[in-house]
Amino acid sequence: MPAVVQVNYICRMRATEDGYRHKGLRRKLVETVRGKGITDEKVLAAIENIPRHFFLDSAFDEVAYEDKAFPIAEKQTISQPYTVAYQTQLLEVKPHQKVLEIGTGSCYQAAVLAELGAKVFTIERQKKLFDTNKTFQWIKKYPSIKFFYGDGFEGLPTYAPFDKVIITAAAPFVPEKLIDQMKVGGMMVIPFGSGDVQVMKRLIKQQDGSVKEEVFDNFSFVPMLQGKND
Ligand code: SAH
C-alpha cells in the first residue's frame, strides 16, 4: 500500500448538463451571496449565469452550489463564490478591460471576469491544472480568456499594461513586477499575508508609480508560491 494516496479531484468526470435543478440552486446561491453584502448586480448575474458544477468533478454535483471552497487537483481549491464575488466587485471591471489573473485554478474566477466583458490573461503555476483547462470544452465559449503556464510573480510583460490585476492566492508581499505592469489608475486586488488569514487589499496605481492602498475584510487562500511546478 502506498503511504500517500494521491487523489485527483478535478476532471475525471466533468458534468456537462445544466438542468433546472442546477439553475434553481444557482439562484439560491446568488441570494446567499447577496445576503452577505455583495451589491454589484453584474457580478451577481455572472454567478447566476455560470454553471459552477462544470468546474468541479461530478462527485461534487450535489454541493457545487454551496457557498464553499472545494478541492481541485494538486491540493488547490476553487474559491468560495462569496470570495469570488467580493474580489470581482472590488476590481470594478468594465467591458474590454485587460485583466491579469494570478492563479487560474479551476478557471471559475476567470469565467466570472469574462462574463463581465473583460479580456482575461490568467496564469497558473501548476502544469496539471493548466493542462486540465486545455481540455475544458465549455470554457471555450469565452475566447476572451487567454491561458498561461508560468509564475504569477513574473506577470506577463509582453501583454502589459493591464487595467486590473487580481491575485487569487495568498500573497506574502506585493509583487513589484505586477505593479510595473499596471496602467496608471489601474487596480490590483490582493489577499495579502502569509499566515492562515489574509487581509484583502485594493491597490490603485498613482501617476508617480506609487500605490494608494485600501484595506478590506479577512479571507483565507492557498499560498501564492514562487516558480512553476511541472
Ligand atoms: N482563481 C481560482 C482559485 C484557485 S486557488 C479559481 O477560481 O478556481 C489559487 C491558485 O493559484 C492555485 O491553482 C495555485 O496553483 C495558483 N498559484 C499559486 N501561486 C501561483 C503563482 N506564483 N503563479 C501562478 N499561479 C499560482
Side-chain angles (χ1 to χ4, degrees), residues 140-197:
K140 297 194 167 59
K141 77 174 254 187
Y142 301 111
S144 55
I145 305 178
K146 306 279 182 251
F147 296 88
F148 299 86
Y149 168 52
D151 178 0
F153 281 100
E154 299 298 322
L156 291 171
T158 319
Y159 297 89
F162 297 97
D163 298 286
K164 306 283 164 71
V165 176
I166 176 169
I167 301 186
T168 68
F173 54 87
V174 176
E176 224 22 76
K177 288 180 183 168
L178 301 189
I179 301 286
D180 292 345
Q181 291 171 30
M182 280 162 63
K183 291 183 186 169
V184 170
M187 290 176 181
M188 175 189 288
V189 172
I190 173 170
F192 183 81
S194 46
D196 290 345
V197 174

Side-chain angles (χ1 to χ4, degrees), residues 76-77 101 103 106 109 124-126 129 151-152 168 224-225:
Q76 302 304 316
T77 55
E101 181 196 22
S106 70
Q109 171 74 73
E124 175 56 56
R125 69 179 288 279
Q126 296 276 4
L129 291 177
D151 178 0
T168 68
M224 181 173 178
L225 301 172

Side-chain angles (χ1 to χ4, degrees), residues 13 30 40 117 161:
M13 271 235 302
V30 165
D40 186 326

